[in-house]
Amino acid sequence: MHWADSIAKALSHRGDKQVIASGITPSGEFHIGHLREILSSDIIKRACQRSGLDVEFVFFVDDADPLRKVYSFLDESYEQYIGHQLANIPPPDNNGMPDMARFEQGTSYADHFLQPFIQALEHIGVNIDEIIYNYASYKDGKVAEASRAACNQSEGIREIIERVSGRELNENWFPWNPVDSNGSIDGITITGWQDPIVKWTDSNGNEGQSDVTKGEGKLPWRVDWPAKWSWRGVTMEPFGKDHGAAGGSYDTGKEISLLLGSPPPYPTTYEWISLKGVGAMSSSTGVTIGPLEALELVPPEILRYLIARNKPNRHIDFDTGGALIELADEYQKKLSDLEKGPGEWNTLSRRQQVAWEKLKAQLIYSQIDPKQMPQAASERVSFRHLSLLAQIRSDDDDVWASLQRSGLISGQPSGDLPRRLELMRTWIDSTHFPEAFRLRIQTEIIDEAAENLDQRDSEYLTALSNQFKHCGWISDEINGIICNEAKAREISLRDAFQTLYWIVLGQDFGPKLASILAEMKREDVLNLLELAISTV
RNA sequence: GGGCCUGUAGCUUAGCCAGGUAGAGCGUCCGGCUUUUAACCGGAUGGCCAAGGGUUCGAAUCCCUUCAGGCCCGCCA
């Protein structure tokens, strides 16, 4: 059974009405790891729908959280905003400076990072029923009851946090972080509580008071989380392993949730996605990749597939290199397996049946349109193959022509093939494209190539060179010359091609050689051949 | 110190929750395609399921112990 279906099954025992939640603090650039949080929820939502549950997916934006520090991408001037809530501070401009103009037009720091992410989610087929802005929720009084309940039971909550997390709380600890006279929620001492008013003294010695029902501040994280479950009725939420550790915020949260009068949601902890550098060189240069950037490289269903195929507790090494091409090709292979069908069902072992159901679910959950069943039509062109053609053929029409000749497509490219080619070209132009798949046209003869050349090769190359000077510079003619001259000298085609691959690409294999030569300038090819001949 | 996850063929892994003869992809090797899409097709190779113990007619699967690796326990998913 697919992992999401298992969760849906567990949820069905709790009731027919499910609210699945995700939450993210928009404190900086979103990255591929955030996608796991959101896609896990989205996939679970679909699994619930598949098993007939009534399900909602809500996305909490934690824009009531304060700025923790001046991040590396921010200008020093953000120092003044530390401790201020993310919904309340200006967005950074391209230089990391506070952009007051945009702020005045209504774009906050939180919005700045959130908006592109939300856009990416649409492309990736994530269907959120409600985006909940935490800051606005406090302001609108949606958290009012939960906030009052927490403040009225501050001792009980303190007891839970201290006992479960083993952490000792400050004597003045209180489950409310008010906003001080400067707009910061750091460094404030609570001096009194009279429902619904909190009295406090800030770090400058100023005294003040906050009404917890009007969002003048927020609940601290360990209380804020269960409060959300409580006021929005969350029944299921996946969260990162940091929250899942013993004594972590889920452990304290579930008890606090009960104290506030609601059962805690069904939990699922997921492992991190780490970014595998593009080879060893770039892991130190800190190449990161955001959801938007990833969407410029591969079709969105591949990213969905990445999450759908891996159980949440499975660590993922995200690799924009060769592994991503393999992932994409694996996806297509499975599509075509699905199309072929499982065979005679009754003759399958239970294990085969399980595998089949799982394959099907993985593919269903990878679709951008949840109503569309996976289909393999027009998906016969592998990413691997496309990456070669895209490098050899600069003109799209030449790519289609090549695919037609090889029978992979008939007529004009259909479906999302043109889009895939466009993505592939972006990928090739980026630093993320794997070196192992990159074609390197040589300008010199490398040592390995020279070692493999002998007198017979020299004569062969000379003959090629002579013919290449006059022939039509198209793939078929070039290929004909290579083959005919080899035959004339009783050189096996395998050897002939290997010799040429060494000279042209610096390796002993490659994609169809004549296509590469036809893309090169005639004189460059002739020069390379001359160089090769002269090393013998 | 507390806790979570992982350990299955050279590599990536499925199967574990509901115990019933270990599956796949990649790689490798051989063969085919008599002009090669690092393509495709066919075949072969390859695992005492980390180790030990227990439960059972039967354990990769359940329980216990150990070992190894990764990670989390200051609001970074």
Side-chain angles (χ1 to χ4, degrees), chain A residues 303-332:
Chain A
L303 294 180
R304 288 193 71 102
Y305 177 64
L306 177 72
I307 304 302
R309 80 188 279 268
N310 290 295
K311 284 185 288 199
N313 62 10
R314 175 71 68 172
H315 171 93
I316 297 177
D317 257 330
F318 187 70
D319 183 351
T320 58
L324 189 51
I325 291 186
E326 275 155 30
L327 181 76
D329 281 339
E330 178 187 301
Y331 172 75
Q332 292 198 7

PDB file of all heavy atoms in Angstrom, chain A residues 303-332:
ATOM      1  N   LEU A 303       8.796  16.353  -9.841  1.00  0.00           N
ATOM      2  CA  LEU A 303       8.979  16.748  -8.443  1.00  0.00           C
ATOM      3  C   LEU A 303       7.933  16.091  -7.546  1.00  0.00           C
ATOM      4  O   LEU A 303       8.217  15.666  -6.442  1.00  0.00           O
ATOM      5  CB  LEU A 303       8.904  18.270  -8.303  1.00  0.00           C
ATOM      6  CG  LEU A 303      10.048  19.031  -8.986  1.00  0.00           C
ATOM      7  CD1 LEU A 303       9.871  20.533  -8.791  1.00  0.00           C
ATOM      8  CD2 LEU A 303      11.392  18.589  -8.452  1.00  0.00           C
ATOM      9  N   ARG A 304       6.713  16.013  -8.048  1.00  0.00           N
ATOM     10  CA  ARG A 304       5.675  15.310  -7.293  1.00  0.00           C
ATOM     11  C   ARG A 304       6.075  13.852  -7.116  1.00  0.00           C
ATOM     12  O   ARG A 304       5.918  13.277  -6.045  1.00  0.00           O
ATOM     13  CB  ARG A 304       4.326  15.370  -8.021  1.00  0.00           C
ATOM     14  CG  ARG A 304       3.657  16.712  -8.015  1.00  0.00           C
ATOM     15  CD  ARG A 304       2.204  16.579  -8.461  1.00  0.00           C
ATOM     16  NE  ARG A 304       1.430  15.923  -7.437  1.00  0.00           N
ATOM     17  CZ  ARG A 304       0.617  16.555  -6.585  1.00  0.00           C
ATOM     18  NH1 ARG A 304       0.441  17.859  -6.686  1.00  0.00           N
ATOM     19  NH2 ARG A 304      -0.031  15.894  -5.670  1.00  0.00           N
ATOM     20  N   TYR A 305       6.581  13.280  -8.206  1.00  0.00           N
ATOM     21  CA  TYR A 305       6.970  11.872  -8.165  1.00  0.00           C
ATOM     22  C   TYR A 305       8.072  11.637  -7.139  1.00  0.00           C
ATOM     23  O   TYR A 305       8.074  10.638  -6.425  1.00  0.00           O
ATOM     24  CB  TYR A 305       7.409  11.421  -9.564  1.00  0.00           C
ATOM     25  CG  TYR A 305       7.889  10.002  -9.629  1.00  0.00           C
ATOM     26  CD1 TYR A 305       7.024   8.948  -9.359  1.00  0.00           C
ATOM     27  CD2 TYR A 305       9.214   9.708  -9.933  1.00  0.00           C
ATOM     28  CE1 TYR A 305       7.471   7.641  -9.403  1.00  0.00           C
ATOM     29  CE2 TYR A 305       9.662   8.406  -9.972  1.00  0.00           C
ATOM     30  CZ  TYR A 305       8.794   7.372  -9.710  1.00  0.00           C
ATOM     31  OH  TYR A 305       9.242   6.080  -9.735  1.00  0.00           O
ATOM     32  N   LEU A 306       8.993  12.580  -7.067  1.00  0.00           N
ATOM     33  CA  LEU A 306      10.084  12.468  -6.094  1.00  0.00           C
ATOM     34  C   LEU A 306       9.519  12.300  -4.682  1.00  0.00           C
ATOM     35  O   LEU A 306      10.005  11.478  -3.898  1.00  0.00           O
ATOM     36  CB  LEU A 306      10.969  13.718  -6.146  1.00  0.00           C
ATOM     37  CG  LEU A 306      12.109  13.784  -5.138  1.00  0.00           C
ATOM     38  CD1 LEU A 306      13.217  12.795  -5.500  1.00  0.00           C
ATOM     39  CD2 LEU A 306      12.686  15.184  -5.045  1.00  0.00           C
ATOM     40  N   ILE A 307       8.498  13.065  -4.357  1.00  0.00           N
ATOM     41  CA  ILE A 307       7.911  12.989  -3.024  1.00  0.00           C
ATOM     42  C   ILE A 307       6.999  11.776  -2.892  1.00  0.00           C
ATOM     43  O   ILE A 307       6.996  11.091  -1.875  1.00  0.00           O
ATOM     44  CB  ILE A 307       7.099  14.271  -2.713  1.00  0.00           C
ATOM     45  CG1 ILE A 307       7.981  15.524  -2.880  1.00  0.00           C
ATOM     46  CG2 ILE A 307       6.524  14.222  -1.306  1.00  0.00           C
ATOM     47  CD1 ILE A 307       9.201  15.545  -2.027  1.00  0.00           C
ATOM     48  N   ALA A 308       6.248  11.487  -3.952  1.00  0.00           N
ATOM     49  CA  ALA A 308       5.275  10.395  -3.888  1.00  0.00           C
ATOM     50  C   ALA A 308       5.960   9.029  -3.794  1.00  0.00           C
ATOM     51  O   ALA A 308       5.449   8.129  -3.143  1.00  0.00           O
ATOM     52  CB  ALA A 308       4.356  10.433  -5.107  1.00  0.00           C
ATOM     53  N   ARG A 309       7.111   8.889  -4.407  1.00  0.00           N
ATOM     54  CA  ARG A 309       7.747   7.572  -4.448  1.00  0.00           C
ATOM     55  C   ARG A 309       8.486   7.259  -3.158  1.00  0.00           C
ATOM     56  O   ARG A 309       8.764   6.108  -2.859  1.00  0.00           O
ATOM     57  CB  ARG A 309       8.722   7.469  -5.619  1.00  0.00           C
ATOM     58  CG  ARG A 309      10.061   8.117  -5.346  1.00  0.00           C
ATOM     59  CD  ARG A 309      10.913   8.168  -6.596  1.00  0.00           C
ATOM     60  NE  ARG A 309      11.599   6.917  -6.872  1.00  0.00           N
ATOM     61  CZ  ARG A 309      12.841   6.629  -6.443  1.00  0.00           C
ATOM     62  NH1 ARG A 309      13.508   7.482  -5.724  1.00  0.00           N
ATOM     63  NH2 ARG A 309      13.412   5.486  -6.765  1.00  0.00           N
ATOM     64  N   ASN A 310       8.870   8.297  -2.415  1.00  0.00           N
ATOM     65  CA  ASN A 310       9.633   8.066  -1.197  1.00  0.00           C
ATOM     66  C   ASN A 310       8.755   8.193   0.034  1.00  0.00           C
ATOM     67  O   ASN A 310       8.081   9.204   0.217  1.00  0.00           O
ATOM     68  CB  ASN A 310      10.772   9.084  -1.096  1.00  0.00           C
ATOM     69  CG  ASN A 310      11.854   8.829  -2.129  1.00  0.00           C
ATOM     70  OD1 ASN A 310      12.527   7.815  -2.094  1.00  0.00           O
ATOM     71  ND2 ASN A 310      11.989   9.747  -3.068  1.00  0.00           N
ATOM     72  N   LYS A 311       8.785   7.172   0.851  1.00  0.00           N
ATOM     73  CA  LYS A 311       8.054   7.255   2.112  1.00  0.00           C
ATOM     74  C   LYS A 311       8.589   8.445   2.896  1.00  0.00           C
ATOM     75  O   LYS A 311       9.781   8.749   2.828  1.00  0.00           O
ATOM     76  CB  LYS A 311       8.256   5.975   2.928  1.00  0.00           C
ATOM     77  CG  LYS A 311       7.452   4.816   2.404  1.00  0.00           C
ATOM     78  CD  LYS A 311       7.592   3.604   3.315  1.00  0.00           C
ATOM     79  CE  LYS A 311       8.976   2.977   3.176  1.00  0.00           C
ATOM     80  NZ  LYS A 311       9.014   1.588   3.670  1.00  0.00           N
ATOM     81  N   PRO A 312       7.709   9.101   3.682  1.00  0.00           N
ATOM     82  CA  PRO A 312       8.149  10.299   4.414  1.00  0.00           C
ATOM     83  C   PRO A 312       9.387  10.064   5.270  1.00  0.00           C
ATOM     84  O   PRO A 312      10.225  10.950   5.393  1.00  0.00           O
ATOM     85  CB  PRO A 312       6.949  10.633   5.280  1.00  0.00           C
ATOM     86  CG  PRO A 312       5.779  10.119   4.516  1.00  0.00           C
ATOM     87  CD  PRO A 312       6.265   8.874   3.838  1.00  0.00           C
ATOM     88  N   ASN A 313       9.494   8.870   5.856  1.00  0.00           N
ATOM     89  CA  ASN A 313      10.637   8.659   6.745  1.00  0.00           C
ATOM     90  C   ASN A 313      11.920   8.317   5.986  1.00  0.00           C
ATOM     91  O   ASN A 313      12.938   8.009   6.573  1.00  0.00           O
ATOM     92  CB  ASN A 313      10.328   7.588   7.785  1.00  0.00           C
ATOM     93  CG  ASN A 313      10.050   6.239   7.163  1.00  0.00           C
ATOM     94  OD1 ASN A 313      10.253   6.044   5.971  1.00  0.00           O
ATOM     95  ND2 ASN A 313       9.585   5.313   7.964  1.00  0.00           N
ATOM     96  N   ARG A 314      11.826   8.374   4.656  1.00  0.00           N
ATOM     97  CA  ARG A 314      13.017   8.075   3.854  1.00  0.00           C
ATOM     98  C   ARG A 314      13.739   9.380   3.530  1.00  0.00           C
ATOM     99  O   ARG A 314      13.159  10.324   3.027  1.00  0.00           O
ATOM    100  CB  ARG A 314      12.565   7.345   2.568  1.00  0.00           C
ATOM    101  CG  ARG A 314      13.618   7.055   1.563  1.00  0.00           C
ATOM    102  CD  ARG A 314      14.568   5.983   1.979  1.00  0.00           C
ATOM    103  NE  ARG A 314      13.992   4.640   2.072  1.00  0.00           N
ATOM    104  CZ  ARG A 314      14.774   3.555   2.289  1.00  0.00           C
ATOM    105  NH1 ARG A 314      16.048   3.673   2.398  1.00  0.00           N
ATOM    106  NH2 ARG A 314      14.207   2.379   2.393  1.00  0.00           N
ATOM    107  N   HIS A 315      14.998   9.391   3.864  1.00  0.00           N
ATOM    108  CA  HIS A 315      15.808  10.569   3.566  1.00  0.00           C
ATOM    109  C   HIS A 315      15.999  10.703   2.048  1.00  0.00           C
ATOM    110  O   HIS A 315      16.208   9.712   1.366  1.00  0.00           O
ATOM    111  CB  HIS A 315      17.158  10.411   4.266  1.00  0.00           C
ATOM    112  CG  HIS A 315      18.157  11.440   3.886  1.00  0.00           C
ATOM    113  ND1 HIS A 315      18.323  12.594   4.612  1.00  0.00           N
ATOM    114  CD2 HIS A 315      19.022  11.506   2.854  1.00  0.00           C
ATOM    115  CE1 HIS A 315      19.259  13.324   4.044  1.00  0.00           C
ATOM    116  NE2 HIS A 315      19.708  12.686   2.981  1.00  0.00           N
ATOM    117  N   ILE A 316      15.897  11.924   1.549  1.00  0.00           N
ATOM    118  CA  ILE A 316      16.075  12.138   0.109  1.00  0.00           C
ATOM    119  C   ILE A 316      17.305  12.996  -0.139  1.00  0.00           C
ATOM    120  O   ILE A 316      17.471  14.050   0.457  1.00  0.00           O
ATOM    121  CB  ILE A 316      14.848  12.854  -0.506  1.00  0.00           C
ATOM    122  CG1 ILE A 316      13.586  12.010  -0.386  1.00  0.00           C
ATOM    123  CG2 ILE A 316      15.110  13.192  -1.969  1.00  0.00           C
ATOM    124  CD1 ILE A 316      12.331  12.686  -0.896  1.00  0.00           C
ATOM    125  N   ASP A 317      18.151  12.513  -0.999  1.00  0.00           N
ATOM    126  CA  ASP A 317      19.273  13.320  -1.462  1.00  0.00           C
ATOM    127  C   ASP A 317      18.858  13.927  -2.783  1.00  0.00           C
ATOM    128  O   ASP A 317      18.825  13.234  -3.791  1.00  0.00           O
ATOM    129  CB  ASP A 317      20.503  12.443  -1.691  1.00  0.00           C
ATOM    130  CG  ASP A 317      21.505  12.586  -0.566  1.00  0.00           C
ATOM    131  OD1 ASP A 317      21.560  13.678   0.029  1.00  0.00           O
ATOM    132  OD2 ASP A 317      22.225  11.614  -0.302  1.00  0.00           O
ATOM    133  N   PHE A 318      18.511  15.190  -2.760  1.00  0.00           N
ATOM    134  CA  PHE A 318      18.093  15.775  -4.026  1.00  0.00           C
ATOM    135  C   PHE A 318      19.319  16.109  -4.845  1.00  0.00           C
ATOM    136  O   PHE A 318      20.257  16.741  -4.371  1.00  0.00           O
ATOM    137  CB  PHE A 318      17.253  17.025  -3.807  1.00  0.00           C
ATOM    138  CG  PHE A 318      16.651  17.563  -5.077  1.00  0.00           C
ATOM    139  CD1 PHE A 318      15.636  16.863  -5.705  1.00  0.00           C
ATOM    140  CD2 PHE A 318      17.105  18.728  -5.656  1.00  0.00           C
ATOM    141  CE1 PHE A 318      15.081  17.328  -6.888  1.00  0.00           C
ATOM    142  CE2 PHE A 318      16.553  19.197  -6.840  1.00  0.00           C
ATOM    143  CZ  PHE A 318      15.539  18.491  -7.449  1.00  0.00           C
ATOM    144  N   ASP A 319      19.298  15.683  -6.066  1.00  0.00           N
ATOM    145  CA  ASP A 319      20.461  15.793  -6.916  1.00  0.00           C
ATOM    146  C   ASP A 319      19.995  16.334  -8.267  1.00  0.00           C
ATOM    147  O   ASP A 319      19.192  15.719  -8.943  1.00  0.00           O
ATOM    148  CB  ASP A 319      21.060  14.393  -7.072  1.00  0.00           C
ATOM    149  CG  ASP A 319      22.323  14.404  -7.893  1.00  0.00           C
ATOM    150  OD1 ASP A 319      22.637  15.455  -8.479  1.00  0.00           O
ATOM    151  OD2 ASP A 319      22.989  13.363  -7.950  1.00  0.00           O
ATOM    152  N   THR A 320      20.476  17.500  -8.594  1.00  0.00           N
ATOM    153  CA  THR A 320      20.037  18.080  -9.868  1.00  0.00           C
ATOM    154  C   THR A 320      20.849  17.523 -11.019  1.00  0.00           C
ATOM    155  O   THR A 320      20.724  17.969 -12.140  1.00  0.00           O
ATOM    156  CB  THR A 320      20.196  19.608  -9.852  1.00  0.00           C
ATOM    157  OG1 THR A 320      21.570  19.909  -9.584  1.00  0.00           O
ATOM    158  CG2 THR A 320      19.314  20.240  -8.814  1.00  0.00           C
ATOM    159  N   GLY A 321      21.712  16.584 -10.729  1.00  0.00           N
ATOM    160  CA  GLY A 321      22.567  16.041 -11.778  1.00  0.00           C
ATOM    161  C   GLY A 321      21.986  14.794 -12.395  1.00  0.00           C
ATOM    162  O   GLY A 321      20.794  14.691 -12.653  1.00  0.00           O
ATOM    163  N   GLY A 322      22.848  13.818 -12.624  1.00  0.00           N
ATOM    164  CA  GLY A 322      22.450  12.603 -13.312  1.00  0.00           C
ATOM    165  C   GLY A 322      21.271  11.912 -12.651  1.00  0.00           C
ATOM    166  O   GLY A 322      20.413  11.353 -13.333  1.00  0.00           O
ATOM    167  N   ALA A 323      21.210  11.969 -11.326  1.00  0.00           N
ATOM    168  CA  ALA A 323      20.139  11.275 -10.622  1.00  0.00           C
ATOM    169  C   ALA A 323      18.773  11.838 -10.992  1.00  0.00           C
ATOM    170  O   ALA A 323      17.781  11.115 -10.997  1.00  0.00           O
ATOM    171  CB  ALA A 323      20.353  11.370  -9.117  1.00  0.00           C
ATOM    172  N   LEU A 324      18.725  13.108 -11.298  1.00  0.00           N
ATOM    173  CA  LEU A 324      17.441  13.706 -11.652  1.00  0.00           C
ATOM    174  C   LEU A 324      16.990  13.224 -13.033  1.00  0.00           C
ATOM    175  O   LEU A 324      15.813  12.988 -13.265  1.00  0.00           O
ATOM    176  CB  LEU A 324      17.538  15.229 -11.610  1.00  0.00           C
ATOM    177  CG  LEU A 324      16.238  16.013 -11.750  1.00  0.00           C
ATOM    178  CD1 LEU A 324      15.177  15.517 -10.785  1.00  0.00           C
ATOM    179  CD2 LEU A 324      16.475  17.497 -11.523  1.00  0.00           C
ATOM    180  N   ILE A 325      17.935  13.089 -13.941  1.00  0.00           N
ATOM    181  CA  ILE A 325      17.610  12.528 -15.249  1.00  0.00           C
ATOM    182  C   ILE A 325      17.122  11.098 -15.084  1.00  0.00           C
ATOM    183  O   ILE A 325      16.129  10.681 -15.684  1.00  0.00           O
ATOM    184  CB  ILE A 325      18.836  12.559 -16.182  1.00  0.00           C
ATOM    185  CG1 ILE A 325      19.164  14.020 -16.548  1.00  0.00           C
ATOM    186  CG2 ILE A 325      18.589  11.731 -17.444  1.00  0.00           C
ATOM    187  CD1 ILE A 325      20.247  14.161 -17.566  1.00  0.00           C
ATOM    188  N   GLU A 326      17.803  10.355 -14.215  1.00  0.00           N
ATOM    189  CA  GLU A 326      17.382   8.976 -13.987  1.00  0.00           C
ATOM    190  C   GLU A 326      16.006   8.913 -13.340  1.00  0.00           C
ATOM    191  O   GLU A 326      15.196   8.060 -13.663  1.00  0.00           O
ATOM    192  CB  GLU A 326      18.424   8.245 -13.132  1.00  0.00           C
ATOM    193  CG  GLU A 326      19.549   7.679 -13.981  1.00  0.00           C
ATOM    194  CD  GLU A 326      20.844   7.501 -13.199  1.00  0.00           C
ATOM    195  OE1 GLU A 326      20.775   7.260 -11.991  1.00  0.00           O
ATOM    196  OE2 GLU A 326      21.919   7.617 -13.829  1.00  0.00           O
ATOM    197  N   LEU A 327      15.758   9.841 -12.434  1.00  0.00           N
ATOM    198  CA  LEU A 327      14.448   9.896 -11.788  1.00  0.00           C
ATOM    199  C   LEU A 327      13.354  10.155 -12.824  1.00  0.00           C
ATOM    200  O   LEU A 327      12.319   9.508 -12.834  1.00  0.00           O
ATOM    201  CB  LEU A 327      14.424  10.996 -10.729  1.00  0.00           C
ATOM    202  CG  LEU A 327      13.112  11.154  -9.959  1.00  0.00           C
ATOM    203  CD1 LEU A 327      12.970  10.040  -8.921  1.00  0.00           C
ATOM    204  CD2 LEU A 327      13.030  12.510  -9.284  1.00  0.00           C
ATOM    205  N   ALA A 328      13.626  11.094 -13.692  1.00  0.00           N
ATOM    206  CA  ALA A 328      12.656  11.450 -14.717  1.00  0.00           C
ATOM    207  C   ALA A 328      12.411  10.271 -15.659  1.00  0.00           C
ATOM    208  O   ALA A 328      11.272   9.984 -16.029  1.00  0.00           O
ATOM    209  CB  ALA A 328      13.141  12.670 -15.500  1.00  0.00           C
ATOM    210  N   ASP A 329      13.480   9.569 -15.996  1.00  0.00           N
ATOM    211  CA  ASP A 329      13.312   8.417 -16.883  1.00  0.00           C
ATOM    212  C   ASP A 329      12.612   7.261 -16.178  1.00  0.00           C
ATOM    213  O   ASP A 329      11.844   6.535 -16.781  1.00  0.00           O
ATOM    214  CB  ASP A 329      14.667   7.974 -17.453  1.00  0.00           C
ATOM    215  CG  ASP A 329      15.103   8.882 -18.600  1.00  0.00           C
ATOM    216  OD1 ASP A 329      14.223   9.548 -19.192  1.00  0.00           O
ATOM    217  OD2 ASP A 329      16.296   8.926 -18.906  1.00  0.00           O
ATOM    218  N   GLU A 330      12.887   7.139 -14.885  1.00  0.00           N
ATOM    219  CA  GLU A 330      12.215   6.103 -14.101  1.00  0.00           C
ATOM    220  C   GLU A 330      10.705   6.374 -14.082  1.00  0.00           C
ATOM    221  O   GLU A 330       9.901   5.458 -14.218  1.00  0.00           O
ATOM    222  CB  GLU A 330      12.764   6.122 -12.675  1.00  0.00           C
ATOM    223  CG  GLU A 330      12.106   5.117 -11.754  1.00  0.00           C
ATOM    224  CD  GLU A 330      12.563   5.285 -10.308  1.00  0.00           C
ATOM    225  OE1 GLU A 330      13.790   5.177 -10.074  1.00  0.00           O
ATOM    226  OE2 GLU A 330      11.724   5.538  -9.429  1.00  0.00           O
ATOM    227  N   TYR A 331      10.368   7.632 -13.940  1.00  0.00           N
ATOM    228  CA  TYR A 331       8.962   8.026 -13.946  1.00  0.00           C
ATOM    229  C   TYR A 331       8.292   7.598 -15.254  1.00  0.00           C
ATOM    230  O   TYR A 331       7.201   7.028 -15.263  1.00  0.00           O
ATOM    231  CB  TYR A 331       8.853   9.535 -13.744  1.00  0.00           C
ATOM    232  CG  TYR A 331       7.463  10.096 -13.927  1.00  0.00           C
ATOM    233  CD1 TYR A 331       6.494   9.912 -12.953  1.00  0.00           C
ATOM    234  CD2 TYR A 331       7.128  10.804 -15.074  1.00  0.00           C
ATOM    235  CE1 TYR A 331       5.217  10.409 -13.112  1.00  0.00           C
ATOM    236  CE2 TYR A 331       5.853  11.308 -15.241  1.00  0.00           C
ATOM    237  CZ  TYR A 331       4.902  11.116 -14.271  1.00  0.00           C
ATOM    238  OH  TYR A 331       3.632  11.608 -14.443  1.00  0.00           O
ATOM    239  N   GLN A 332       8.970   7.872 -16.346  1.00  0.00           N
ATOM    240  CA  GLN A 332       8.392   7.514 -17.645  1.00  0.00           C
ATOM    241  C   GLN A 332       8.297   6.014 -17.835  1.00  0.00           C
ATOM    242  O   GLN A 332       7.341   5.497 -18.398  1.00  0.00           O
ATOM    243  CB  GLN A 332       9.232   8.108 -18.761  1.00  0.00           C
ATOM    244  CG  GLN A 332       9.125   9.600 -18.756  1.00  0.00           C
ATOM    245  CD  GLN A 332       9.563  10.185 -20.055  1.00  0.00           C
ATOM    246  OE1 GLN A 332       9.838   9.471 -21.010  1.00  0.00           O
ATOM    247  NE2 GLN A 332       9.621  11.492 -20.111  1.00  0.00           N
TER     248      GLN A 332
END
